[in-house]
PDB file of all heavy atoms in Angstrom:
ATOM      1  N   VAL T  27      18.507  11.446  -1.351  1.00  0.00           N
ATOM      2  CA  VAL T  27      18.230  10.027  -1.609  1.00  0.00           C
ATOM      3  C   VAL T  27      17.866   9.307  -0.318  1.00  0.00           C
ATOM      4  O   VAL T  27      16.995   8.421  -0.304  1.00  0.00           O
ATOM      5  CB  VAL T  27      19.445   9.369  -2.291  1.00  0.00           C
ATOM      6  CG1 VAL T  27      19.278   7.848  -2.361  1.00  0.00           C
ATOM      7  CG2 VAL T  27      19.632   9.935  -3.700  1.00  0.00           C
ATOM      8  N   ALA T  28      18.519   9.682   0.786  1.00  0.00           N
ATOM      9  CA  ALA T  28      18.186   9.053   2.070  1.00  0.00           C
ATOM     10  C   ALA T  28      16.727   9.293   2.427  1.00  0.00           C
ATOM     11  O   ALA T  28      16.008   8.365   2.826  1.00  0.00           O
ATOM     12  CB  ALA T  28      19.101   9.606   3.164  1.00  0.00           C
ATOM     13  N   PHE T  29      16.261  10.536   2.288  1.00  0.00           N
ATOM     14  CA  PHE T  29      14.856  10.834   2.578  1.00  0.00           C
ATOM     15  C   PHE T  29      13.928  10.126   1.591  1.00  0.00           C
ATOM     16  O   PHE T  29      12.889   9.576   1.981  1.00  0.00           O
ATOM     17  CB  PHE T  29      14.618  12.348   2.527  1.00  0.00           C
ATOM     18  CG  PHE T  29      15.062  13.079   3.756  1.00  0.00           C
ATOM     19  CD1 PHE T  29      16.136  13.953   3.705  1.00  0.00           C
ATOM     20  CD2 PHE T  29      14.421  12.892   4.977  1.00  0.00           C
ATOM     21  CE1 PHE T  29      16.561  14.632   4.843  1.00  0.00           C
ATOM     22  CE2 PHE T  29      14.833  13.557   6.117  1.00  0.00           C
ATOM     23  CZ  PHE T  29      15.908  14.436   6.052  1.00  0.00           C
ATOM     24  N   GLN T  30      14.303  10.135   0.319  1.00  0.00           N
ATOM     25  CA  GLN T  30      13.442   9.521  -0.700  1.00  0.00           C
ATOM     26  C   GLN T  30      13.270   8.024  -0.472  1.00  0.00           C
ATOM     27  O   GLN T  30      12.159   7.498  -0.493  1.00  0.00           O
ATOM     28  CB  GLN T  30      14.024   9.760  -2.098  1.00  0.00           C
ATOM     29  CG  GLN T  30      13.231   9.082  -3.214  1.00  0.00           C
ATOM     30  CD  GLN T  30      14.120   8.613  -4.350  1.00  0.00           C
ATOM     31  OE1 GLN T  30      15.347   8.679  -4.271  1.00  0.00           O
ATOM     32  NE2 GLN T  30      13.522   8.125  -5.416  1.00  0.00           N
ATOM     33  N   MET T  31      14.390   7.318  -0.257  1.00  0.00           N
ATOM     34  CA  MET T  31      14.304   5.869  -0.106  1.00  0.00           C
ATOM     35  C   MET T  31      13.641   5.485   1.218  1.00  0.00           C
ATOM     36  O   MET T  31      12.915   4.485   1.291  1.00  0.00           O
ATOM     37  CB  MET T  31      15.701   5.260  -0.203  1.00  0.00           C
ATOM     38  CG  MET T  31      16.364   5.457  -1.561  1.00  0.00           C
ATOM     39  SD  MET T  31      15.400   4.776  -2.941  1.00  0.00           S
ATOM     40  CE  MET T  31      15.593   3.012  -2.644  1.00  0.00           C
ATOM     41  N   ALA T  32      13.885   6.277   2.262  1.00  0.00           N
ATOM     42  CA  ALA T  32      13.190   6.019   3.525  1.00  0.00           C
ATOM     43  C   ALA T  32      11.688   6.150   3.335  1.00  0.00           C
ATOM     44  O   ALA T  32      10.909   5.311   3.814  1.00  0.00           O
ATOM     45  CB  ALA T  32      13.676   6.990   4.598  1.00  0.00           C
ATOM     46  N   ALA T  33      11.265   7.197   2.616  1.00  0.00           N
ATOM     47  CA  ALA T  33       9.840   7.390   2.365  1.00  0.00           C
ATOM     48  C   ALA T  33       9.269   6.260   1.527  1.00  0.00           C
ATOM     49  O   ALA T  33       8.143   5.794   1.758  1.00  0.00           O
ATOM     50  CB  ALA T  33       9.617   8.732   1.675  1.00  0.00           C
ATOM     51  N   MET T  34      10.044   5.788   0.548  1.00  0.00           N
ATOM     52  CA  MET T  34       9.549   4.716  -0.319  1.00  0.00           C
ATOM     53  C   MET T  34       9.336   3.416   0.465  1.00  0.00           C
ATOM     54  O   MET T  34       8.310   2.746   0.326  1.00  0.00           O
ATOM     55  CB  MET T  34      10.521   4.475  -1.465  1.00  0.00           C
ATOM     56  CG  MET T  34       9.988   3.531  -2.545  1.00  0.00           C
ATOM     57  SD  MET T  34      11.163   3.231  -3.870  1.00  0.00           S
ATOM     58  CE  MET T  34      12.229   2.000  -3.085  1.00  0.00           C
ATOM     59  N   TYR T  35      10.298   3.069   1.310  1.00  0.00           N
ATOM     60  CA  TYR T  35      10.159   1.835   2.082  1.00  0.00           C
ATOM     61  C   TYR T  35       9.050   1.958   3.135  1.00  0.00           C
ATOM     62  O   TYR T  35       8.324   0.985   3.400  1.00  0.00           O
ATOM     63  CB  TYR T  35      11.487   1.466   2.733  1.00  0.00           C
ATOM     64  CG  TYR T  35      12.404   0.703   1.806  1.00  0.00           C
ATOM     65  CD1 TYR T  35      13.502   1.315   1.225  1.00  0.00           C
ATOM     66  CD2 TYR T  35      12.158  -0.627   1.483  1.00  0.00           C
ATOM     67  CE1 TYR T  35      14.344   0.625   0.363  1.00  0.00           C
ATOM     68  CE2 TYR T  35      12.985  -1.326   0.629  1.00  0.00           C
ATOM     69  CZ  TYR T  35      14.082  -0.695   0.066  1.00  0.00           C
ATOM     70  OH  TYR T  35      14.899  -1.385  -0.795  1.00  0.00           O
ATOM     71  N   LEU T  36       8.913   3.137   3.734  1.00  0.00           N
ATOM     72  CA  LEU T  36       7.803   3.335   4.659  1.00  0.00           C
ATOM     73  C   LEU T  36       6.473   3.255   3.921  1.00  0.00           C
ATOM     74  O   LEU T  36       5.491   2.702   4.444  1.00  0.00           O
ATOM     75  CB  LEU T  36       7.943   4.692   5.348  1.00  0.00           C
ATOM     76  CG  LEU T  36       9.035   4.801   6.413  1.00  0.00           C
ATOM     77  CD1 LEU T  36       9.132   6.242   6.923  1.00  0.00           C
ATOM     78  CD2 LEU T  36       8.757   3.850   7.574  1.00  0.00           C
ATOM     79  N   GLY T  37       6.433   3.808   2.710  1.00  0.00           N
ATOM     80  CA  GLY T  37       5.222   3.696   1.900  1.00  0.00           C
ATOM     81  C   GLY T  37       4.884   2.252   1.569  1.00  0.00           C
ATOM     82  O   GLY T  37       3.716   1.853   1.593  1.00  0.00           O
ATOM     83  N   ALA T  38       5.925   1.460   1.262  1.00  0.00           N
ATOM     84  CA  ALA T  38       5.689   0.049   0.973  1.00  0.00           C
ATOM     85  C   ALA T  38       5.102  -0.674   2.177  1.00  0.00           C
ATOM     86  O   ALA T  38       4.162  -1.477   2.048  1.00  0.00           O
ATOM     87  CB  ALA T  38       6.995  -0.615   0.551  1.00  0.00           C
ATOM     88  N   ALA T  39       5.649  -0.386   3.372  1.00  0.00           N
ATOM     89  CA  ALA T  39       5.115  -1.007   4.586  1.00  0.00           C
ATOM     90  C   ALA T  39       3.682  -0.562   4.831  1.00  0.00           C
ATOM     91  O   ALA T  39       2.813  -1.373   5.194  1.00  0.00           O
ATOM     92  CB  ALA T  39       5.998  -0.650   5.771  1.00  0.00           C
ATOM     93  N   ALA T  40       3.413   0.739   4.631  1.00  0.00           N
ATOM     94  CA  ALA T  40       2.051   1.245   4.825  1.00  0.00           C
ATOM     95  C   ALA T  40       1.096   0.661   3.793  1.00  0.00           C
ATOM     96  O   ALA T  40      -0.061   0.349   4.107  1.00  0.00           O
ATOM     97  CB  ALA T  40       2.052   2.776   4.738  1.00  0.00           C
ATOM     98  N   GLY T  41       1.573   0.491   2.565  1.00  0.00           N
ATOM     99  CA  GLY T  41       0.723  -0.098   1.528  1.00  0.00           C
ATOM    100  C   GLY T  41       0.368  -1.537   1.820  1.00  0.00           C
ATOM    101  O   GLY T  41      -0.768  -1.973   1.604  1.00  0.00           O
ATOM    102  N   SER T  42       1.349  -2.275   2.327  1.00  0.00           N
ATOM    103  CA  SER T  42       1.079  -3.665   2.700  1.00  0.00           C
ATOM    104  C   SER T  42       0.058  -3.730   3.831  1.00  0.00           C
ATOM    105  O   SER T  42      -0.874  -4.551   3.818  1.00  0.00           O
ATOM    106  CB  SER T  42       2.381  -4.342   3.111  1.00  0.00           C
ATOM    107  OG  SER T  42       2.159  -5.673   3.508  1.00  0.00           O
ATOM    108  N   ALA T  43       0.217  -2.840   4.822  1.00  0.00           N
ATOM    109  CA  ALA T  43      -0.731  -2.813   5.939  1.00  0.00           C
ATOM    110  C   ALA T  43      -2.116  -2.374   5.477  1.00  0.00           C
ATOM    111  O   ALA T  43      -3.138  -2.926   5.914  1.00  0.00           O
ATOM    112  CB  ALA T  43      -0.217  -1.866   7.021  1.00  0.00           C
ATOM    113  N   ALA T  44      -2.162  -1.389   4.569  1.00  0.00           N
ATOM    114  CA  ALA T  44      -3.459  -0.924   4.058  1.00  0.00           C
ATOM    115  C   ALA T  44      -4.163  -2.022   3.272  1.00  0.00           C
ATOM    116  O   ALA T  44      -5.388  -2.206   3.390  1.00  0.00           O
ATOM    117  CB  ALA T  44      -3.253   0.312   3.183  1.00  0.00           C
ATOM    118  N   GLY T  45      -3.406  -2.768   2.474  1.00  0.00           N
ATOM    119  CA  GLY T  45      -4.008  -3.877   1.730  1.00  0.00           C
ATOM    120  C   GLY T  45      -4.568  -4.933   2.660  1.00  0.00           C
ATOM    121  O   GLY T  45      -5.660  -5.466   2.425  1.00  0.00           O
ATOM    122  N   SER T  46      -3.826  -5.225   3.728  1.00  0.00           N
ATOM    123  CA  SER T  46      -4.318  -6.197   4.705  1.00  0.00           C
ATOM    124  C   SER T  46      -5.608  -5.715   5.352  1.00  0.00           C
ATOM    125  O   SER T  46      -6.563  -6.488   5.537  1.00  0.00           O
ATOM    126  CB  SER T  46      -3.248  -6.435   5.764  1.00  0.00           C
ATOM    127  OG  SER T  46      -3.698  -7.324   6.761  1.00  0.00           O
ATOM    128  N   ALA T  47      -5.658  -4.412   5.688  1.00  0.00           N
ATOM    129  CA  ALA T  47      -6.855  -3.864   6.314  1.00  0.00           C
ATOM    130  C   ALA T  47      -8.050  -3.908   5.360  1.00  0.00           C
ATOM    131  O   ALA T  47      -9.185  -4.221   5.776  1.00  0.00           O
ATOM    132  CB  ALA T  47      -6.595  -2.423   6.759  1.00  0.00           C
ATOM    133  N   LEU T  48      -7.808  -3.620   4.081  1.00  0.00           N
ATOM    134  CA  LEU T  48      -8.895  -3.676   3.100  1.00  0.00           C
ATOM    135  C   LEU T  48      -9.426  -5.097   2.951  1.00  0.00           C
ATOM    136  O   LEU T  48     -10.641  -5.318   2.899  1.00  0.00           O
ATOM    137  CB  LEU T  48      -8.413  -3.151   1.749  1.00  0.00           C
ATOM    138  CG  LEU T  48      -8.209  -1.627   1.644  1.00  0.00           C
ATOM    139  CD1 LEU T  48      -7.495  -1.282   0.338  1.00  0.00           C
ATOM    140  CD2 LEU T  48      -9.564  -0.912   1.714  1.00  0.00           C
ATOM    141  N   LEU T  49      -8.517  -6.056   2.887  1.00  0.00           N
ATOM    142  CA  LEU T  49      -8.951  -7.455   2.735  1.00  0.00           C
ATOM    143  C   LEU T  49      -9.700  -7.924   3.978  1.00  0.00           C
ATOM    144  O   LEU T  49     -10.715  -8.627   3.873  1.00  0.00           O
ATOM    145  CB  LEU T  49      -7.735  -8.341   2.472  1.00  0.00           C
ATOM    146  CG  LEU T  49      -7.015  -8.119   1.135  1.00  0.00           C
ATOM    147  CD1 LEU T  49      -5.811  -9.048   1.025  1.00  0.00           C
ATOM    148  CD2 LEU T  49      -7.956  -8.330  -0.040  1.00  0.00           C
ATOM    149  N   ASP T  50      -9.207  -7.535   5.166  1.00  0.00           N
ATOM    150  CA  ASP T  50      -9.900  -7.905   6.397  1.00  0.00           C
ATOM    151  C   ASP T  50     -11.272  -7.256   6.489  1.00  0.00           C
ATOM    152  O   ASP T  50     -12.185  -7.798   7.124  1.00  0.00           O
ATOM    153  CB  ASP T  50      -9.059  -7.494   7.616  1.00  0.00           C
ATOM    154  CG  ASP T  50      -7.817  -8.349   7.778  1.00  0.00           C
ATOM    155  OD1 ASP T  50      -7.776  -9.444   7.176  1.00  0.00           O
ATOM    156  OD2 ASP T  50      -6.882  -7.923   8.485  1.00  0.00           O
ATOM    157  N   GLY T  51     -11.422  -6.084   5.840  1.00  0.00           N
ATOM    158  CA  GLY T  51     -12.701  -5.389   5.852  1.00  0.00           C
ATOM    159  C   GLY T  51     -13.685  -5.887   4.817  1.00  0.00           C
ATOM    160  O   GLY T  51     -14.785  -5.325   4.705  1.00  0.00           O
ATOM    161  N   GLY T  52     -13.298  -6.889   4.049  1.00  0.00           N
ATOM    162  CA  GLY T  52     -14.221  -7.471   3.077  1.00  0.00           C
ATOM    163  C   GLY T  52     -13.964  -7.092   1.636  1.00  0.00           C
ATOM    164  O   GLY T  52     -14.678  -7.550   0.738  1.00  0.00           O
ATOM    165  N   THR T  53     -12.945  -6.280   1.362  1.00  0.00           N
ATOM    166  CA  THR T  53     -12.622  -5.924  -0.021  1.00  0.00           C
ATOM    167  C   THR T  53     -12.085  -7.137  -0.756  1.00  0.00           C
ATOM    168  O   THR T  53     -11.260  -7.892  -0.226  1.00  0.00           O
ATOM    169  CB  THR T  53     -11.575  -4.797  -0.062  1.00  0.00           C
ATOM    170  OG1 THR T  53     -12.098  -3.654   0.611  1.00  0.00           O
ATOM    171  CG2 THR T  53     -11.210  -4.429  -1.494  1.00  0.00           C
ATOM    172  N   ASP T  54     -12.556  -7.355  -1.970  1.00  0.00           N
ATOM    173  CA  ASP T  54     -12.060  -8.456  -2.785  1.00  0.00           C
ATOM    174  C   ASP T  54     -10.644  -8.130  -3.258  1.00  0.00           C
ATOM    175  O   ASP T  54     -10.351  -6.994  -3.632  1.00  0.00           O
ATOM    176  CB  ASP T  54     -12.972  -8.664  -3.990  1.00  0.00           C
ATOM    177  CG  ASP T  54     -12.585  -9.908  -4.781  1.00  0.00           C
ATOM    178  OD1 ASP T  54     -13.056 -11.010  -4.440  1.00  0.00           O
ATOM    179  OD2 ASP T  54     -11.807  -9.764  -5.742  1.00  0.00           O
ATOM    180  N   ALA T  55      -9.758  -9.144  -3.252  1.00  0.00           N
ATOM    181  CA  ALA T  55      -8.378  -8.910  -3.662  1.00  0.00           C
ATOM    182  C   ALA T  55      -8.295  -8.396  -5.094  1.00  0.00           C
ATOM    183  O   ALA T  55      -7.398  -7.618  -5.435  1.00  0.00           O
ATOM    184  CB  ALA T  55      -7.559 -10.194  -3.518  1.00  0.00           C
ATOM    185  N   GLY T  56      -9.233  -8.790  -5.935  1.00  0.00           N
ATOM    186  CA  GLY T  56      -9.232  -8.321  -7.309  1.00  0.00           C
ATOM    187  C   GLY T  56      -9.531  -6.845  -7.445  1.00  0.00           C
ATOM    188  O   GLY T  56      -9.295  -6.251  -8.513  1.00  0.00           O
ATOM    189  N   ASP T  57     -10.039  -6.220  -6.386  1.00  0.00           N
ATOM    190  CA  ASP T  57     -10.340  -4.782  -6.423  1.00  0.00           C
ATOM    191  C   ASP T  57      -9.187  -3.916  -5.932  1.00  0.00           C
ATOM    192  O   ASP T  57      -9.266  -2.680  -5.988  1.00  0.00           O
ATOM    193  CB  ASP T  57     -11.580  -4.486  -5.559  1.00  0.00           C
ATOM    194  CG  ASP T  57     -12.837  -5.116  -6.130  1.00  0.00           C
ATOM    195  OD1 ASP T  57     -12.895  -5.297  -7.350  1.00  0.00           O
ATOM    196  OD2 ASP T  57     -13.750  -5.432  -5.336  1.00  0.00           O
ATOM    197  N   LEU T  58      -8.116  -4.528  -5.457  1.00  0.00           N
ATOM    198  CA  LEU T  58      -6.995  -3.743  -4.934  1.00  0.00           C
ATOM    199  C   LEU T  58      -6.343  -2.835  -5.994  1.00  0.00           C
ATOM    200  O   LEU T  58      -5.924  -1.720  -5.671  1.00  0.00           O
ATOM    201  CB  LEU T  58      -5.948  -4.670  -4.314  1.00  0.00           C
ATOM    202  CG  LEU T  58      -6.360  -5.386  -3.021  1.00  0.00           C
ATOM    203  CD1 LEU T  58      -5.228  -6.288  -2.528  1.00  0.00           C
ATOM    204  CD2 LEU T  58      -6.733  -4.374  -1.939  1.00  0.00           C
ATOM    205  N   PRO T  59      -6.220  -3.277  -7.269  1.00  0.00           N
ATOM    206  CA  PRO T  59      -5.645  -2.360  -8.265  1.00  0.00           C
ATOM    207  C   PRO T  59      -6.414  -1.053  -8.408  1.00  0.00           C
ATOM    208  O   PRO T  59      -5.811  -0.011  -8.703  1.00  0.00           O
ATOM    209  CB  PRO T  59      -5.685  -3.175  -9.568  1.00  0.00           C
ATOM    210  CG  PRO T  59      -5.626  -4.589  -9.121  1.00  0.00           C
ATOM    211  CD  PRO T  59      -6.424  -4.627  -7.846  1.00  0.00           C
ATOM    212  N   ALA T  60      -7.737  -1.088  -8.211  1.00  0.00           N
ATOM    213  CA  ALA T  60      -8.517   0.150  -8.304  1.00  0.00           C
ATOM    214  C   ALA T  60      -8.122   1.113  -7.197  1.00  0.00           C
ATOM    215  O   ALA T  60      -8.042   2.336  -7.415  1.00  0.00           O
ATOM    216  CB  ALA T  60     -10.010  -0.166  -8.229  1.00  0.00           C
ATOM    217  N   TRP T  61      -7.861   0.593  -5.994  1.00  0.00           N
ATOM    218  CA  TRP T  61      -7.399   1.446  -4.902  1.00  0.00           C
ATOM    219  C   TRP T  61      -6.015   2.021  -5.218  1.00  0.00           C
ATOM    220  O   TRP T  61      -5.751   3.202  -4.955  1.00  0.00           O
ATOM    221  CB  TRP T  61      -7.353   0.649  -3.599  1.00  0.00           C
ATOM    222  CG  TRP T  61      -8.704   0.357  -3.026  1.00  0.00           C
ATOM    223  CD1 TRP T  61      -9.492  -0.726  -3.282  1.00  0.00           C
ATOM    224  CD2 TRP T  61      -9.434   1.179  -2.105  1.00  0.00           C
ATOM    225  NE1 TRP T  61     -10.669  -0.644  -2.578  1.00  0.00           N
ATOM    226  CE2 TRP T  61     -10.664   0.515  -1.851  1.00  0.00           C
ATOM    227  CE3 TRP T  61      -9.170   2.380  -1.478  1.00  0.00           C
ATOM    228  CZ2 TRP T  61     -11.620   1.039  -0.990  1.00  0.00           C
ATOM    229  CZ3 TRP T  61     -10.122   2.910  -0.618  1.00  0.00           C
ATOM    230  CH2 TRP T  61     -11.332   2.238  -0.382  1.00  0.00           C
ATOM    231  N   SER T  62      -5.143   1.202  -5.797  1.00  0.00           N
ATOM    232  CA  SER T  62      -3.822   1.705  -6.167  1.00  0.00           C
ATOM    233  C   SER T  62      -3.914   2.741  -7.285  1.00  0.00           C
ATOM    234  O   SER T  62      -3.101   3.672  -7.345  1.00  0.00           O
ATOM    235  CB  SER T  62      -2.917   0.551  -6.605  1.00  0.00           C
ATOM    236  OG  SER T  62      -2.468  -0.183  -5.485  1.00  0.00           O
ATOM    237  N   ALA T  63      -4.900   2.583  -8.180  1.00  0.00           N
ATOM    238  CA  ALA T  63      -5.076   3.564  -9.250  1.00  0.00           C
ATOM    239  C   ALA T  63      -5.413   4.936  -8.680  1.00  0.00           C
ATOM    240  O   ALA T  63      -4.966   5.974  -9.197  1.00  0.00           O
ATOM    241  CB  ALA T  63      -6.157   3.103 -10.222  1.00  0.00           C
ATOM    242  N   ALA T  64      -6.197   4.953  -7.597  1.00  0.00           N
ATOM    243  CA  ALA T  64      -6.504   6.237  -6.956  1.00  0.00           C
ATOM    244  C   ALA T  64      -5.222   6.884  -6.429  1.00  0.00           C
ATOM    245  O   ALA T  64      -4.996   8.089  -6.601  1.00  0.00           O
ATOM    246  CB  ALA T  64      -7.500   6.023  -5.823  1.00  0.00           C
TER     247      ALA T  64
END
């Protein structure tokens, strides 16, 4: 559980950073669900 939850929270931080990078790169916020679907 320690490894799992650590990975989940790190994933959340990475996902937030990735979303910020996509938006800064010109991706429309409405297109973010498609990236999450991948």
Side-chain angles (χ1 to χ4, degrees):
V27 171
F29 281 112
Q30 177 214 6
M31 296 302 290
M34 189 181 80
Y35 276 105
L36 287 175
S42 179
S46 178
L48 287 170
L49 293 179
D50 289 342
T53 300
D54 187 87
D57 294 332
L58 291 179
W61 287 90
S62 284

